[in-house]
Amino acid sequence: MDMTVIIREANPETDWSTGIWPIWQEVVRAGDTLVFPPDTDESGASEYWLLPAPARVFVAVNETDGTIVGSSLVKANQPGLGGHVANAGFIVAAVASGHGVGRALAEHAIEWARQANFSAMQFNFVVSTNTRAIALWKDLGFSIVGTIPQAFQHQGLGGKVDVFVMHRFL
Amino acid sequence: MDMTVIIREANPETDWSTGIWPIWQEVVRAGDTLVFPPDTDESGASEYWLLPAPARVFVAVNETDGTIVGSSLVKANQPGLGGHVANAGFIVAAVASGHGVGRALAEHAIEWARQANFSAMQFNFVVSTNTRAIALWKDLGFSIVGTIPQAFQHQGLGGKVDVFVMHRFL
């Protein structure tokens, strides 16, 4: 059953240490979906995730108990002459996995980017073994537009796997 | 005829203002190959190009008169679990165009990345209309592994064109 979440802009002061960071650490430590170093500490993680405006960080809050269960980072994928293409990243707490939180965050990010006048969204680094995410992105209108061979050192599989570039117009 | 160049690490103090920056500005202002905002000022340009270590900036120096005629920026394309793939960017002065400077810089970057234990090199943003660069990258062993539709606002053509992702193992 889907978890009902409210998605709102993150407050770095109050949402990071006990909200976003534990989820970020859990996802990154696993080393099977995100590129960041698995041993990144809290300060390093905040430099990767809490990017200054015009980037935006959002949180998904479980409506029932008010806990943060996921986060998104939405920004321009390139500066200047590539600045019309958005980029986004997502993390979801393991405890909330399979309850539609990733989909809700992604739908929100797409809508936010559309309203911010981006004309497309691009994911640069979708690990090819992350089949659930890939199925979700495809369901949300993304297609694979590139394959980077052996670009990810998968910790669970203990070897290099391909990475997809995915894209959709908005 | 090829120009004989010496390629060495850049010294930000002495090589930037009268060496790299005028070339960077010339290339970026044209708005037909690089993604940076065409009106980027000198300070903004240095933030894009003079990245701190472990990134490296090199210059190509005309052996005949000692002038800087091009520059490369070589770095990891991703942190952490994608850090084994290098990335590089290149600028060449219009006055030196067609004299093998880009090829010399690229061959040097490939060799440097190989010695630094990178296992591949990836270009994220090769403008599809930049046919001379694409021919050079292919000649140097790169292949097109992705196509991002309409990802570059081409200033000369006045519209959006596709962008290629190119890759080679080292």
Side-chain angles (χ1 to χ4, degrees):
Chain A
M1 209 182 82
D2 275 7
M3 178 185 289
T4 305
V5 292
I6 294 162
I7 296 173
R8 60 165 172 79
E9 203 159 335
N11 179 336
E13 304 298 324
T14 53
D15 293 333
W16 172 255
S17 284
T18 59
I20 304 171
W21 157 242
I23 302 171
W24 197 97
Q25 184 179 40
E26 176 182 62
V27 173
V28 170
R29 263 199 187 159
D32 55 7
T33 59
L34 292 191
V35 77
F36 309 108
D39 62 352
T40 305
D41 65 13
E42 183 173 347
S43 159
S46 70
E47 284 178 35
Y48 282 126
W49 202 257
L50 298 180
L51 298 184
R56 298 292 172 94
V57 179
F58 300 97
V59 287
V61 179
N62 181 345
E63 203 176 41
T64 306
D65 64 7
T67 59
I68 290 174
V69 291
S71 178
S72 64
L73 166 60
V74 192
K75 59 187 177 62
N77 195 48
Q78 295 283 351
L81 304 177
H84 57 294
V85 179
N87 169 255
F90 306 93
I91 51 171
V92 174
V95 68
S97 175
H99 293 283
V101 177
R103 176 183 292 269
L105 281 166
E107 286 174 344
H108 172 271
I110 289 167
E111 187 52 33
W112 182 87
R114 192 182 279 130
Q115 288 186 19
N117 285 319
F118 287 99
S119 61
M121 184 174 281
Q122 177 179 340
F123 301 149
N124 301 304
F125 210 87
V126 181
V127 175
S128 61
T129 49
N130 190 3
T131 49
R132 224 168 70 181
I134 293 163
L136 174 56
W137 305 151
K138 285 184 173 173
D139 199 53
L140 291 173
F142 288 82
S143 58
I144 295 171
V145 296
T147 303
I148 319 296
Q150 302 180 38
F152 182 70
Q153 301 169 45
H154 195 295
Q155 299 304 284
L157 299 173
K160 293 174 188 165
V161 300
D162 294 350
V163 165
F164 296 141
V165 180
M166 300 189 71
H167 176 277
R168 67 156 286 175
F169 288 109
L170 297 178
Chain B
M1 210 181 83
D2 275 8
M3 179 185 288
T4 305
V5 292
I6 294 162
I7 297 172
R8 60 167 173 78
E9 202 158 333
N11 179 335
E13 303 298 323
T14 53
D15 294 333
W16 173 254
S17 284
T18 59
I20 303 171
W21 158 241
I23 302 171
W24 198 96
Q25 184 180 38
E26 177 182 60
V27 173
V28 170
R29 262 197 187 163
D32 53 9
T33 58
L34 292 191
V35 77
F36 309 108
D39 62 352
T40 305
D41 64 12
E42 184 173 347
S43 159
S46 71
E47 283 178 36
Y48 283 126
W49 201 257
L50 299 180
L51 298 184
R56 297 294 173 94
V57 180
F58 300 97
V59 287
V61 179
N62 181 344
E63 205 177 39
T64 305
D65 63 6
T67 58
I68 290 173
V69 291
S71 178
S72 63
L73 167 61
V74 192
K75 58 186 178 63
N77 196 47
Q78 295 283 352
L81 304 177
H84 58 295
V85 179
N87 170 253
F90 305 94
I91 51 171
V92 174
V95 67
S97 177
H99 293 284
V101 177
R103 177 184 292 268
L105 281 166
E107 286 175 345
H108 171 272
I110 289 167
E111 188 52 34
W112 182 87
R114 191 183 278 130
Q115 288 186 21
N117 285 319
F118 287 99
S119 63
M121 184 175 281
Q122 178 179 339
F123 301 148
N124 301 306
F125 209 88
V126 181
V127 176
S128 61
T129 50
N130 189 4
T131 49
R132 225 167 70 180
I134 293 163
L136 174 57
W137 306 151
K138 286 184 173 173
D139 198 53
L140 291 173
F142 288 82
S143 56
I144 294 171
V145 297
T147 303
I148 320 297
Q150 302 180 37
F152 182 69
Q153 301 169 45
H154 195 295
Q155 298 304 284
L157 298 173
K160 293 175 188 164
V161 300
D162 294 352
V163 165
F164 296 141
V165 180
M166 299 189 74
H167 175 278
R168 66 156 285 175
F169 288 109
L170 298 179

